[in-house]
Amino acid sequence: HVWVYVVSEREGKPVEWALEGGSPAALTRGGWKKDSVKVGDAINVKCHVAKDSSDNCLLGFLTTPGGTPKEFD
């Protein structure tokens, strides 16, 4: 599986999230490429938060800048 690490804000403080996506083969079949998301891109995600409420989740959809939501699992 691939991992995407993002920084968001909670109560004014930075929080690093670890987001788990699908396998590289599945993502490639879904139209994703290595450069679909670049370091520093502002993205939106929809994911399933971990059961232990830690700062990680299983990605469902990821939207790139100017893009439309695309499945990422």
Side-chain angles (χ1 to χ4, degrees), residues 53-70:
S53 298
S54 59
D55 296 330
N56 63 66
C57 68
L58 177 62
L59 269 169
F61 291 87
L62 188 147
T63 307
T64 57
T68 56
K70 248 174 118 172

Side-chain angles (χ1 to χ4, degrees), residues 6-54:
V6 298
V7 177
S8 66
E9 223 177 77
R10 183 185 303 135
E11 298 176 7
K13 297 179 182 176
V15 178
E16 184 176 289
W17 283 80
L19 316 176
E20 183 180 5
S23 72
L27 294 172
T28 299
R29 284 192 301 272
W32 289 97
K33 301 177 192 169
K34 285 184 179 183
D35 62 351
S36 292
V37 179
K38 297 172 187 67
V39 173
D41 281 352
I43 60 171
N44 289 309
V45 297
K46 186 174 184 179
C47 61
H48 309 282
V49 179
K51 288 181 181 180
D52 66 1
S53 298
S54 59

